[in-house]
Amino acid sequence: MTDYDFFTLDDVETSNKRVFLRVDINVPLDPSTHLILDDTRIRGIAETLAKLDDAKVVLGSHQSRPGKDDFTSLEPHARVLAQYCSQDVKFVDDVIGPHARQRIGKVQAGQVLVLDNLRFCAEENLDDRPEKLVKTHFVRRLSPLFDLNVNDAFATAHRSQPSIVGLTEVLPSAAGRLMQKELKAVSILLEEPRRPCVYVLGGAKVEDKIPVIEHILERDKADKILLGGVPAKLFLKAMEKKTSSEDEKETAGLQEYVERAKSLVRKHRDKIEVPVDLAYEEKGEKRLDRNVDSTPAKESALDIGAKTIEKYSKFVESAATSVANGPLGVFERNGFDLGTKMVLESMSRGNGYSVIGGGHLVGLASILGIDERFTHVSTAGGAMLSLLSGQSLPGVDALVRAAARMRNSNSGK
Ligand code: 3PG
Ligand code: MG
């Protein structure tokens, strides 16, 4: 197992300490009412909060990014959070200003003060090198107010930002429980997954899926890669199968990835599964399946077809290890969530070690009421994909550096 050489909450004193707790409770929100649609990420930090019940906790998270519809205040998050912890939860509509700093100074043991959306502070939106991050106003203003920094934001650990890396560089730091749990789940996949090991990869992005497929297949950590969504269209193109004119447009700008897909197909053809049929919305019909080898439609494919659903379902249900990230079709469209739902359900029926990640799949699993049946439901999308593609996470690297620093300063005493 990949062991990370960082401190955890078992290694540090937290009682009565002033703790900055970075979490990722960036959640799906209703675009107009801003009501929280899925609180998986909020529930995910409950264990860490329970462990910190006699500390003076100041909790920070982002919600979305500037310019997006769901870039909003963390006040509703604080209300939901109160249901999942024993502490008295307060909220302050400020991040690093005098108002926030004054409230931080008044936090008592057994209380949690939720700061407002950290990305309201411009510096938090920049990815930068650690030496730059420690000089930000964010780090300079907040760090003197804390004894300990706890990073439990696995889902944001792929970002090199002030609250993820900067504070960890200057404060004694430890990983939270969720961070530990998430890293362990991915380590099992990267070290010795039980075989057969099957990946289901879909979604709209190929740039984060191709590196995963390359890394996993090169290191012989998977037996089958089942493709849906845009990655499926890309591989169909790489295999010189006919796709619809709309799908051609969708993959037209992805030539670099088509080449990488071609190379993967040359080396690992037997492990890569593309859809045998695809579902379209045609001539007023709700859902029409067409075989991939027949004359292609004009429209964009919106889901995998019934034959592919059956094929993929068998693979995931009988797998000893299964991993899924990204929906298999445009699941928001009525009727085109079928592939994603059926494959997820088959995966949840299997007896193997199963991991799902990414907001769409996790949200769907919780709506279907099957989330408890997976071995691990990751709160992350991008961070999990970064790890699976062999990259290290800046947030985790910073925790490892902090542990080395803390050991050195102890040995010097
Ligand atoms: C996510 O949901 O991907 C994380 O919260 C990180 O957010 P970001 O992709 O906007 O940095
Ligand atoms: Mg993201």
Side-chain angles (χ1 to χ4, degrees):
M1 168 114 30
T2 307
D3 268 328
Y4 292 93
D5 206 4
F6 50 46
F7 286 152
T8 72
L9 293 175
D10 298 320
D11 306 312
V12 288
E13 180 56 63
T14 56
S15 181
N16 256 310
K17 299 286 183 213
R18 301 169 303 162
V19 177
F20 180 81
L21 173 62
R22 176 52 155 111
V23 296
D24 183 338
I25 50 173
N26 173 25
V27 291
L29 295 176
D30 183 288
S32 46
T33 61
H34 284 170
L35 274 174
I36 293 175
L37 298 176
D38 177 42
D39 64 7
T40 305
R41 283 180 168 179
I42 303 182
R43 279 185 276 128
I45 58 166
E47 208 183 318
T48 297
L49 283 168
K51 178 78 181 154
L52 292 173
D53 64 352
D54 55 358
K56 302 170 180 176
V57 178
V58 174
L59 181 146
S61 173
H62 67 284
Q63 168 66 42
S64 193
R65 282 179 177 259
K68 298 219 174 153
D69 287 344
D70 56 348
F71 181 58
T72 178
S73 164
L74 245 60
E75 195 168 7
H77 306 60
R79 275 198 298 272
V80 174
L81 184 76
Q83 299 164 23
Y84 294 112
C85 66
S86 60
Q87 287 99 325
D88 170 27
V89 179
K90 309 262 189 222
F91 169 78
V92 58
D93 65 347
D94 188 12
V95 181
I96 64 168
H99 186 44
R101 299 205 306 278
Q102 192 193 38
R103 290 283 302 275
I104 291 170
K106 290 186 177 154
V107 175
Q108 302 295 309
Q111 282 185 340
V112 174
L113 175 67
V114 178
L115 299 181
D116 214 338
N117 189 342
L118 300 184
R119 290 183 181 171
F120 284 175
C121 178
E123 288 171 326
E124 180 66 6
N125 294 284
L126 305 172
D127 267 62
D128 218 329
R129 289 173 290 124
E131 44 296 10
K132 283 286 194 61
L133 296 171
V134 298
K135 292 186 188 140
T136 54
H137 296 279
F138 186 101
V139 170
R140 286 194 304 205
R141 292 205 177 152
L142 290 188
S143 59
L145 309 179
F146 297 100
D147 306 305
L148 178 71
N149 166 56
V150 176
N151 188 348
D152 211 21
F154 173 70
T156 326
H158 58 320
R159 306 283 179 225
S160 189
Q161 292 170 336
S163 70
I164 298 288
V165 170
L167 289 176
T168 311
E169 290 297 330
V170 299
L171 281 168
S173 295
R177 292 289 193 240
L178 181 63
M179 177 70 88
Q180 283 183 275
K181 204 157 91 183
E182 295 266 20
L183 290 171
K184 186 170 169 205
V186 180
S187 292
I188 290 170
L189 304 176
L190 288 173
E191 300 295 319
E192 294 302 329
R194 285 200 290 134
R195 313 301 277 253
C197 174
V198 177
Y199 277 70
V200 183
L201 297 174
K205 285 198 235 156
V206 296
E207 49 288 17
D208 55 2
K209 307 294 178 338
I210 292 278
V212 172
I213 304 172
E214 288 170 342
H215 187 70
I216 292 296
L217 291 184
E218 266 153 34
R219 300 181 66 215
D220 190 26
K221 300 295 177 195
D223 302 288
K224 282 284 175 204
I225 310 277
L226 315 178
L227 297 162
V230 184
K233 296 178 186 183
L234 187 90
F235 274 83
L236 285 167
K237 187 166 175 167
M239 292 175 183
E240 284 165 18
K241 309 248 186 209
K242 285 175 266 165
T243 55
S244 76
S245 43
E246 279 304 310
D247 288 337
E248 278 297 314
K249 281 188 209 159
E250 229 174 298
T251 51
L254 301 170
Q255 203 48 42
E256 178 209 328
Y257 295 102
V258 175
E259 295 309 319
R260 286 165 71 173
K262 277 187 185 163
S263 156
L264 282 164
V265 171
R266 273 195 300 275
K267 289 189 237 160
H268 308 283
R269 179 65 191 91
D270 55 322
K271 294 191 169 177
I272 298 170
E273 296 290 332
V274 289
V276 291
D277 56 351
L278 291 164
Y280 300 87
E281 192 175 56
E282 274 184 282
K283 302 186 195 89
E285 292 274 348
K286 273 211 150 24
R287 188 186 155 104
L288 203 103
D289 288 1
R290 276 176 185 259
N291 285 342
V292 163
D293 288 325
S294 67
T295 325
K298 284 199 196 66
E299 296 81 358
S300 172
L302 297 177
D303 195 8
I304 55 172
K307 289 181 199 147
T308 309
I309 295 178
E310 206 187 316
K311 192 173 172 190
Y312 284 9
S313 294
K314 282 190 188 139
F315 277 124
V316 291
E317 198 168 343
S318 58
T321 306
S322 57
V323 188
N325 191 299
L328 295 173
V330 185
F331 79 111
E332 301 89 337
R333 294 268 288 268
N334 204 2
F336 296 96
D337 54 358
L338 194 67
T340 311
K341 274 187 179 167
M342 301 277 280
V343 174
L344 259 189
E345 274 174 354
S346 303
M347 199 173 152
S348 76
R349 274 196 301 274
N351 296 319
Y353 178 81
S354 53
V355 180
I356 58 169
H360 294 314
L361 287 194
V362 171
L364 198 59
S366 101
I367 290 167
L368 294 172
I370 56 172
D371 46 346
E372 306 264 298
R373 290 201 242 143
F374 295 91
T375 318
H376 182 71
V377 175
S378 178
T379 56
M384 181 176 148
L385 293 172
S386 289
L387 270 186
L388 289 173
S389 59
Q391 293 167 42
S392 66
L393 303 177
V396 175
D397 291 346
L399 284 170
V400 172
R401 284 194 296 274
R405 228 176 40 233
M406 288 154 76
R407 280 192 203 99
N408 277 342
S409 72
N410 277 344
S411 64
K413 274 176 196 160

